[in-house]
């Protein structure tokens, strides 16, 4: 274990058990301190419980604290805080853990099969910024959870079924696609051309549906035919789905997101089991007929007037909807995929829906044995005017255009700083920086809050942004490149000798990576990892200003500092990678 704070917490817990053996509450209340590396503040709560002066309890704790091998002698301050400073030789020794591929991060002691449901755009519709948030946050969580040893199963719950497909198929036919031959490669190309602008395709289908009663009638009949398994309808539907999937997969590639073709498990995947799911829920007595619809009323969910809220599992017309599909997906994830933890990275407006699905699943026994289903909610993306993020014309922002703009703005940034990169490398770096900026802006604020999409802020080279971290990382790499080869060779963690306060602080910061990653995974809070990386980079800057790296005459000092520099670069790059962001060596 590399984290000195965790080591200290263990020792403090042991001391607490000696001083107050009668209690099970052994939270040592370890906090950062301005006067030392950490404060152990447990004495205050213990004093209250024991009815003794806190400073006396603190003194007893210090007497019981077996910590000489880690820290300088503890000091009691204020009302009973215990200040602890980690010994420099201990820090240096702990740093060797960072050379392990896990970079000092402890694997989870409770590995799960975690299903992460994320992205989930809708067929024949442009992915909107809500899906972008889900995609970015979900990807960061999937990567981080896998890193600490969970078995992560990505599930892209594509919206590929439902009533809109009636009008979309009719629109396809009206555009000249022949249902009988709709699977040939030629048709696929035509279809791709027709729905190249997904929003426009969807909107024109919608407009025709609203204006033309004949089209509307055909659309409704088409839905019925589709649900009945009519081959022509299914073929046209499949064409729409395949074309959209290709479009989305391309977006994932461009976004450098780890979702692939294999992760699609769209709503339609569950069509065949919906009857069975409903039968099971009925057999368990969980469904009642309400206004002709089959509904669940999970306890604790009430609407206005305190009326129990229904989760409509089968509509009055016999059709299944979003809720039935989600129930089937959940059961599948538990039974077939073996999930013991289920994360749904979905916007805040779907909170009630998901909580009701989880509640019904719980009643059905699908979550028995401590299986955990959790809505990983997030707020909206706002424009700089504080309103929903839209184009100037008031349309939803197209993902492809967003990515293009991010990359071209980043290229402008590179130009301005004009480096000696080849054109290919520069293009690659521009995409790392542009995508990094967009992703990091999303990830670095608490996900439950709305966040304001502001190009200038996310691309700023100072402050808590991806470009700042990427430039800091590249500067570290360039120092390493400039070092004498024999120094570089010798600059391993074993070479670190800590003398200066700034070196001490940097080592402490480096060893905090473990806690930051676990805060990110445990609390589903990528912003905790972002804050950590930003603080690491600023701590490094203070170190770099106080401690010349290449200049000292003593090779031992150069190598020690170079090693700190290399470790910082590695931790930064690893942390960014967990967030789905690249850290190029040169920018
Ligand atoms: N397709 C849905 C939408 O665009 C999101 C699906 C979220 N996942 C889920 N299992 N319901 O709103």
């Amino acid at each position: 274990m590399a984290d000195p704070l965790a080591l200290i917490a263990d020792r403090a817990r042991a001391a607490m058990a000696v001083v107050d053996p009668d209690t099970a509450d052994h939270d040592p209340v370890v906090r950062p301190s301005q006067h030392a590396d950490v404060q152990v503040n447990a004495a205050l709560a213990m004093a209250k419980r024991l009815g003794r002066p806190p400073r006396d309890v603190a003194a007893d704790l210090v007497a019981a604290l077996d910590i000489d091998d880690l820290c300088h002698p503890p000091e009691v301050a204020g009302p009973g805080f215990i200040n602890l400073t980690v010994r420099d030789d201990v820090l240096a020794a702990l740093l060797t853990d960072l050379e392990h591929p896990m970079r000092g991060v402890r694997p989870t002691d409770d590995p799960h099969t975690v299903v992460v449901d994320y992205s989930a755009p809708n067929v024949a519709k442009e992915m909107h910024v809500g899906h972008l948030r889900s995609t970015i946050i979900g990807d960061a969580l999937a990567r981080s959870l896998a890193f600490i040893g969970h078995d992560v199963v990505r599930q892209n719950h594509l919206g590929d079924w439902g009533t809109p497909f009636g009008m979309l198929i009719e629109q396809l036919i009206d555009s000249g696609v022949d249902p009988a031959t709709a699977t040939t490669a030629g048709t696929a190309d035509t279809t791709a051309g027709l729905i190249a602008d997904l929003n426009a395709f969807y909107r024109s289908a919608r407009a025709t549906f609203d204006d033309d009663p004949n089209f509307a009638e055909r659309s409704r009949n088409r839905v019925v035919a589709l649900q009945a398994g009519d081959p022509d309808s299914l073929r046209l539907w499949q064409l729409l789905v395949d074309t959209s999937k290709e479009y989305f997969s391309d977006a994932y590639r461009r976004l450098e997101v780890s979702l692939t073709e294999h992760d699609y498990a769209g709503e339609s995947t569950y069509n065949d089991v919906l009857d069975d799911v409903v039968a099971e829920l009925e057999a368990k007595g969980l469904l009642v007929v309400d206004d002709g619809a089959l509904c669940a009323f999970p306890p604790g969910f009430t609407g206005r007037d305190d009326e129990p809220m229904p989760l409509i599992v089968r509509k009055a017309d016999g059709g299944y909807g979003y809720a039935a599909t989600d129930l089937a997906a959940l059961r599948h994830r538990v039974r077939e995929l073996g999930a013991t933890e289920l994360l749904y990275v979905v916007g805040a407006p779907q909170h009630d829906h998901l909580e009701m699905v989880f509640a019904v699943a719980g009643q059905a026994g699908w979550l028995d044995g401590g299986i955990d289903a959790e809505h990983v909610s997030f707020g909206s993306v706002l424009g700089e005017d504080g309103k929903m993020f839209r184009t100037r014309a008031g349309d939803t922002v197209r993902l492809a255009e967003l990515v293009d703009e991010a990359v071209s703005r980043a290229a402008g940034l590179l130009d301005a700083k004009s480096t000696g990169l080849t054109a290919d490398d520069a293009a690659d770096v521009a995409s790392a920086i542009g995508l990094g900026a967009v992703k990091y802006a999303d990830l670095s604020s608490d996900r439950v809050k709305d966040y304001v999409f502001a190009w200038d802020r996310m691309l700023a080279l100072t402050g808590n942004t991806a470009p700042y971290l990427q430039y800091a990382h590249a500067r570290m790499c360039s120092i390493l490149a400039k070092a004498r080869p024999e120094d570089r060779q010798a600059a391993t963690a074993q070479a670190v000798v800590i003398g200066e306060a700034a070196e001490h602080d940097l080592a402490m910061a480096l060893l905090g990576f473990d806690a930051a990653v676990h805060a990110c995974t445990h609390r589903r809070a990528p912003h905790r990892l972002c804050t950590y990386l930003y603080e690491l980079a600023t701590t490094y800057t203070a170190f770099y200003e106080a401690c010349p790296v290449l200049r000292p005459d003593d090779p031992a000092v150069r190598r020690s500092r170079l090693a700190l520099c290399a470790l910082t670069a590695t931790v930064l790059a690893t942390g960014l990678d967990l967030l789905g962001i690249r850290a190029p060596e040169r920018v």
Side-chain angles (χ1 to χ4, degrees), residues 12-134:
R13 259 189 293 270
M16 290 172 75
V18 172
V19 176
D20 184 6
D22 296 333
T23 175
D25 169 26
H26 287 152
D27 176 7
V29 198
V30 175
R31 296 281 180 270
S33 156
Q34 285 176 333
H35 312 288
D37 288 330
V38 287
Q39 250 172 16
V40 172
N41 292 346
L44 284 78
M46 288 172 74
K48 214 170 272 168
R49 198 165 46 229
L50 297 168
R52 297 178 50 200
R55 276 192 76 101
D56 289 1
V57 176
D60 285 1
L61 275 178
V62 166
L65 195 60
D66 176 14
I67 204 150
D68 294 351
D69 59 330
L70 296 178
C71 294
H72 293 292
E75 282 167 16
V76 177
F81 306 132
I82 301 169
N83 282 334
L84 290 168
T85 302
V86 184
R87 279 171 22 197
D88 287 339
D89 59 320
V90 172
L91 285 183
L94 289 173
L95 285 177
T96 56
D97 259 19
L98 301 189
E99 283 177 345
H100 183 270
M102 292 293 288
R103 310 298 168 208
V105 176
R106 279 168 295 171
T108 176
D109 48 20
D110 187 17
H112 282 277
T113 297
V114 189
V115 162
V116 186
D117 177 320
Y118 70 106
S119 196
N122 302 313
V123 163
K125 259 187 165 173
E126 201 73 40
M127 227 191 274
H128 59 65
V129 284
H131 298 122
L132 180 67
R133 281 211 89 179
S134 172

Side-chain angles (χ1 to χ4, degrees), residues 104 125 145-146 156 207 296 327 381 397 506 563:
K125 259 187 165 173
L145 289 161
N156 194 346
L327 286 164
V381 184
V397 180
L506 180 56

